Amino acid sequence: MDIVVVGAGSLGSLVGGLLAREHDVTLVGREPHVGSVSENGLSVVGTEEFRVRPGAQTTIPQRADLALVTVKAYDTAAVATDLADCTLDACLSLQNGMGNEERLAAELDCPVLAGTCSYGARLREPGTVAFTGRGEIVLGDRNGGRSAVADEVGAAFRAAGIETTVAVDMPTRLWEKLAVNTGINAVTALARVANGALADSPADAIAADAARETAAVAREQGIDLSDERAVSLVERVVGDTAANHSSMYQDISDGRQTEIAAINGYVADTATRSVPVNETLAGLVRTWERHRER
Ligand code: KPL
């Protein structure tokens, strides 16, 4: 399969690297990373170690069988506009936050699948990505139900040795992932700790409360997500990605804009009830963003 990965940051480089063991992959990202990959290949280190030679460039190619979108949620609208000029058979969003698939589908002619990924990844230096925790990849029709395109993409992921679940309940899965991200990302970013530090810590109650609030908002939207399931998913991902620094931790460490608006901010904005933990976390991270040095 001819796959373009739009967003060769930490997660995009890791998943693109795993896929490149079997498929023709082009990573689209920024310099100096893509220059280093196109010259010397991509090294994956950590949980699995190997080197691959995907294509790597700063612009989106004209056509691909699959566009795998891994950009930050705040860049989705711009990427959707760029991808609209590209001939694609399918598009898969593997991003944090809600609403990405709708933004892509509004611009693209091909089927847009939803996906979730809880792998831990970190760009160590240009050309090298650390695989810091094997989580789960789930993908499927963004509105739920069976999809032949999702089956085909799932088979392509599995052919590359990536354990992948093709799900018929993606709307629920996206809320479950949101519960995980509302529990882990801002808390680890503000406490300056790896995901594993949340286990049995003074902050684990904050993470659990944020996830419970997210589950309550999901139920308001007609999604069947219990408080217990939301909290147990947070605990599972904390264990699976214990050594990983969350993407929001990495964003704050690198002085970058975060995805707070699409995570805790989304829950706070969507809720018709009071969600004080998500509001507090969103307020703290937004305050940091406002005063960060650019
Ligand atoms: O999605 C993640 C993120 O960091 O954004 C988790 C699953 C929490 C892994 O760190």
Side-chain angles (χ1 to χ4, degrees), residues 30-115:
R30 295 207 178 94
E31 294 294 3
H33 180 52
V34 292
S36 172
V37 172
S38 84
E39 220 168 281
N40 309 310
L42 175 74
S43 295
V44 177
V45 296
T47 305
E48 279 185 47
E49 307 223 336
F50 59 91
R51 178 185 283 269
V52 277
R53 297 205 66 99
Q57 55 196 57
T58 54
T59 53
I60 295 176
Q62 296 262 284
R63 85 151 309 282
D65 298 325
L66 174 69
L68 174 58
V69 178
T70 51
V71 295
K72 298 286 184 187
Y74 50 78
D75 279 335
T76 306
V79 160
T81 310
D82 291 347
L83 277 175
D85 296 332
C86 178
T87 307
L88 298 170
D89 291 343
C91 176
L92 166 64
S93 159
L94 220 50
Q95 299 171 267
N96 281 338
M98 298 295 263
N100 295 304
E101 299 77 18
E102 285 68 29
R103 257 168 240 132
L104 290 163
E107 301 293 335
L108 304 187
D109 280 339
C110 65
V112 176
L113 304 173

Side-chain angles (χ1 to χ4, degrees), residues 182-256:
T182 55
I184 296 177
N185 291 33
V187 178
T188 52
L190 293 166
R192 314 295 306 134
V193 291
N195 295 354
L198 289 188
D200 295 323
S201 74
D204 66 1
I206 304 173
D209 283 345
R212 278 191 204 98
E213 287 179 3
T214 304
V217 177
R219 292 195 295 275
E220 284 178 355
Q221 306 279 320
I223 300 289
D224 180 17
L225 176 57
S226 69
D227 287 5
E228 295 69 29
R229 176 146 176 85
V231 173
S232 79
L233 288 169
V234 170
E235 288 167 356
R236 193 202 294 171
V237 174
V238 163
D240 285 349
T241 63
N244 187 46
H245 288 105
S246 73
S247 53
M248 199 172 290
Y249 174 108
Q250 296 180 39
D251 290 337
I252 288 187
S253 296
D254 297 345
R256 289 190 301 249

